[in-house]
């Protein structure tokens, strides 16, 4: 996949762009670069990249407006570069339509894993495969059958609805607000503790060890991600 993947890097720090150009280029990715929001939007329209890596701090504004403008015309995967402990910014970026985030400073191995997950999620969304598989977990979206290994798992209607949303966005970070809105409706977007109860119930049914989850991963202060393998 990487040899055919064109990535637009949007960051006003030359050293970051140089690092990404060298590191991602060595892995076969094709890169173009932008140092401002205006340049990013022009490049995105001209180059039509497969994925965008976007720093939220730009000289002509913030990256949030870039996400909004990109989402008006495109569903290109967007990975946000954020500073540590900026949970509010991460949540806002994800709610605007970003697919994932990486916290600075970051390792190349982590970034490449997020790139692959974002690309895989986009392909899954386009293909809408009826059966999702990750490790020993399988979810048949047509027949609403959930299995772990050779064991069928019985879920309540609400547990299944929550799992279905996670499956439909597998590999992507989903905020608490997004999950609550999609499963329980817009009147419940602040009921985070309610969501945690259902996630705990799902883990007890799906995970070999619910205290060390392999499928439903917590993004601290942000939301949850279903592992896509």
């Amino acid at each position: 996949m990487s040899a055919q993947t064109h990535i637009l890097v949007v960051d006003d720090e030359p050293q970051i762009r140089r690092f990404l150009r060298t590191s991602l280029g060595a892995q076969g990715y094709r890169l173009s670069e932008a140092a401002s929001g205006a340049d990013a939007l022009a490049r995105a329209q001209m180059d039509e990249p497969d994925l965008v890596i976007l720093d939220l701090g730009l000289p002509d504004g913030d990256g949030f407006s870039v996400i909004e403008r990109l989402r008006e015309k495109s569903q290109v995967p967007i990975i946000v570069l954020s500073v540590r402990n900026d949970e509010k910014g991460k949540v806002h970026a994800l709610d605007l339509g970003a697919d994932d985030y990486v916290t600075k400073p970051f390792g190349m191995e982590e970034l490449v894993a997020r790139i692959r997950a974002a690309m895989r999620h986009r392909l899954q969304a386009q293909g809408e495969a009826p059966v999702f598989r990750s490790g020993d977990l399988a979810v048949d979206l047509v027949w609403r059958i959930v299995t772990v290994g050779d064991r069928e798992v019985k879920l309540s209607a609400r547990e299944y609805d929550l799992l279905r949303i996670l499956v439909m966005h597998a590999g992507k970070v989903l905020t608490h607000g997004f999950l609550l809105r999609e499963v329980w409706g817009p009147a419940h977007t602040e009921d985070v503790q309610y969501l945690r109860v259902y996630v705990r119930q799902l883990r007890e049914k799906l995970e070999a060890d619910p205290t060390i989850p392999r499928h439903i991963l917590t993004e601290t202060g942000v939301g949850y991600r279903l592992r896509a393998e």
Side-chain angles (χ1 to χ4, degrees):
M1 178 188 294
S2 63
Q4 300 177 358
T5 302
H6 174 200
I7 299 176
L8 171 60
V9 174
V10 186
D11 198 302
D12 64 335
E13 297 183 48
Q15 63 271 30
I16 295 291
R17 297 201 307 273
R18 189 181 312 114
F19 168 67
L20 292 175
R21 184 191 318 134
T22 301
S23 302
L24 293 176
Q27 300 207 31
Y29 293 98
R30 182 165 64 91
L31 269 68
S32 56
E33 302 173 22
S36 68
D39 191 16
L41 294 171
R43 285 275 184 182
Q45 183 174 2
M46 178 175 60
D47 297 343
E48 297 185 348
D50 299 304
L51 181 139
V52 176
I53 296 176
L54 173 67
D55 184 22
L56 290 179
L58 298 173
D60 57 346
D62 58 48
F64 301 123
S65 59
V66 175
I67 297 172
E68 289 181 297
R69 293 286 301 280
L70 286 173
R71 282 291 171 259
E72 289 174 1
K73 299 181 178 180
S74 171
Q75 289 303 309
V76 61
I78 301 171
I79 297 178
V80 164
L81 300 181
S82 67
V83 297
R84 193 175 301 277
N85 298 326
D86 183 20
E87 292 176 356
K88 185 176 180 180
K90 295 170 185 173
V91 170
H92 187 40
L94 291 166
D95 282 341
L96 287 174
D99 292 74
D100 207 342
Y101 64 87
V102 175
T103 302
K104 292 182 177 181
F106 55 86
M108 186 50 52
E109 184 175 340
E110 177 189 7
L111 178 59
V112 170
R114 298 299 174 92
I115 290 171
R116 289 173 177 164
M119 293 299 298
R120 186 162 52 240
H121 166 249
R122 187 63 65 204
L123 291 172
Q124 287 172 341
Q126 293 169 349
E128 293 293 336
V131 179
F132 168 83
R133 300 182 188 278
S134 179
D136 61 354
L137 174 65
V139 182
D140 188 320
L141 296 172
V142 175
W143 295 100
R144 298 171 65 96
I145 296 173
V146 179
T147 57
V148 176
D150 56 1
R151 173 177 61 91
E152 184 174 346
V153 179
K154 298 299 183 182
L155 301 178
S156 70
R158 194 70 78 181
E159 289 169 346
Y160 179 81
D161 287 343
L162 176 56
L163 180 60
R164 180 180 59 83
I165 295 297
L166 289 165
V167 165
M168 290 174 63
H169 299 275
K172 179 178 179 179
V173 180
L174 303 180
T175 65
H176 299 129
F178 176 86
L179 287 167
L180 286 163
R181 183 169 58 252
E182 291 296 309
V183 179
W184 285 275
H188 298 275
T189 55
E190 302 299 323
D191 298 337
V192 176
Q193 187 55 40
Y194 198 55
L195 174 61
R196 291 190 179 116
V197 169
Y198 274 86
V199 169
R200 183 171 67 248
Q201 291 173 184
L202 273 179
R203 283 173 169 165
E204 289 172 352
K205 294 182 178 182
L206 302 180
E207 305 282 1
D209 183 351
T211 65
I212 311 175
R214 293 180 56 253
H215 297 302
I216 303 175
L217 308 180
T218 298
E219 297 287 335
T220 304
V222 177
Y224 299 96
R225 176 206 307 267
L226 183 67
R227 186 190 299 275
E229 296 180 348

